[in-house]
Amino acid sequence: MAVWDKFLTDRDKAHLEATGSGSRPRKGFGSKPVLLIIDDYYSVLGTEREDILESVKKWPMSTGMEGWEAIDKTKELLAAARANGVPVIYSVGMGNEFPSPWARGGGGGSRLTPDQQEIANKIVDEIAPIAGEVVIKKASASAFWGTPLVAHLQFNGIDTVICCGETTSGCVRASVVDGCTHRFYMGVVEDCTFDRTEASHAINLFDMNQKYADVVPLAQAISYFDTVGESR
C-alpha cells in the first residue's frame, strides 16, 4: 500500500486501474546512480526529537517527528550507498547568504536566535557528509537550478538520481522535476522524504510517481544499490 492511497477517491482508483498507471515502479533506473540528499539540516528538524506542534515553537520550519523518522531511514540508505560505491551528493540552501522569496514564509530563519541561525543550514550529524562527498549550495528550491549539479553528473557519467530529503512538496519535487527535464532517471525513496503536512507529502509523492520519477520504498532502493555494487 502506497502512502497516498488513503487520499485517493474511488474515481481516482478506478482511473488508475483503467489506465494501468497505478503500478510501481513504472519507469526503472539506470546502471550508474547517485544518491541526492536534499536539505536535511537543522532548521527543518530542530535539535530535539519532538512532535511538530511542539518543535515549531522553537524551530518555525520544523517537520517534527516525521522528519526524524525519515532521517533514521536515510541513515540506512546512506550506508547502502557508501557500501556499494554509489556517490553521495547533498544540497543545502544558502539561507541568509542569499535570501529568496521561495523560502517558506519569506524565511522562517528570520525568527531564529543567533545560535539557531549558526546551525540552521548545517546537515544533521546523523547523516553528515564524509570526505569526498559533494555538498552543493543552492539559491532556489531545485538542487539543479543555478548550480553545477548537471555538469557534475554528466562529467561522471551518471544516469540515475535517487532522491530523498525535504520537503516532499517543495525542494524534493522541484529537484525531481528538473532532474527529469534533464533526462536523468529519477527515483524518490518514500521512507526518506518528509513534509510538514501529511496530505501534501502523500499527494506530491503520488504526482512524482505518476509523472517524473519512480517512488520506491527504502528496501527497494537498497536492493537497487546492492545490485549496482555487485555489477562493479
Side-chain angles (χ1 to χ4, degrees):
M1 180 176 177
V3 66
W4 55 74
D5 285 347
K6 67 180 180 180
F7 294 97
L8 301 181
T9 66
D10 289 340
R11 196 194 79 164
D12 293 335
K13 294 173 183 176
H15 175 264
L16 293 174
E17 184 175 356
T19 59
S21 56
S23 60
R24 59 175 186 158
R26 299 176 59 223
K27 304 165 187 67
F29 301 139
S31 60
K32 196 164 183 184
V34 298
L35 173 60
L36 176 61
I37 301 177
I38 301 168
D39 298 3
D40 280 347
Y41 38 57
Y42 283 106
S43 69
V44 298
L45 289 154
T47 52
E48 300 174 67
R49 296 182 177 232
E50 297 177 312
D51 177 80
I52 189 169
L53 296 180
E54 189 64 31
S55 186
V56 294
K57 295 175 183 177
K58 291 170 284 188
W59 296 89
M61 296 177 67
S62 176
T63 54
M65 283 303 301
E66 287 88 346
W68 282 112
E69 289 164 3
I71 293 297
D72 291 339
K73 298 294 186 182
T74 302
K75 285 175 62 177
E76 298 180 45
L77 181 67
L78 179 59
R82 289 170 174 168
N84 287 291
V86 174
V88 180
I89 300 174
Y90 297 79
S91 75
V92 295
M94 288 186 175
N96 292 334
E97 299 173 51
F98 204 105
S100 172
W102 67 270
R104 180 174 180 262
S110 63
R111 302 198 296 275
L112 299 179
T113 68
D115 286 346
Q116 288 176 311
Q117 290 178 3
E118 189 173 337
I119 64 168
N121 284 350
K122 180 177 181 290
I123 298 164
V124 296
D125 289 342
E126 286 81 354
I127 57 166
I130 61 175
E133 294 177 344
V134 175
V135 180
I136 291 176
K137 287 193 172 185
K138 60 188 179 70
S140 191
S142 170
F144 287 87
W145 190 89
T147 76
L149 181 55
V150 171
H152 179 75
L153 297 178
Q154 291 175 339
F155 178 78
N156 287 282
I158 299 299
D159 59 15
T160 301
V161 182
I162 304 298
C163 300
C164 64
E166 66 80 31
T167 60
T168 316
S169 60
C171 297
V172 173
R173 178 170 178 144
S175 300
V176 166
V177 172
D178 277 0
C180 178
T181 301
H182 284 289
R183 301 301 190 264
F184 294 103
Y185 295 109
M186 301 301 296
V188 180
V189 185
E190 180 179 313
D191 316 59
C192 302
T193 59
F194 51 106
D195 211 316
R196 298 176 184 91
T197 54
E198 293 178 306
S200 183
H201 169 69
I203 294 304
N204 276 277
L205 286 175
F206 171 79
D207 283 345
M208 285 187 280
N209 189 66
Q210 287 291 299
K211 303 176 179 74
Y212 311 113
D214 276 332
V215 177
V216 298
L218 174 62
Q220 187 171 337
I222 290 175
S223 177
Y224 168 56
F225 285 165
D226 288 344
T227 299
V228 169
E230 289 169 1
S231 67
R232 289 177 172 167

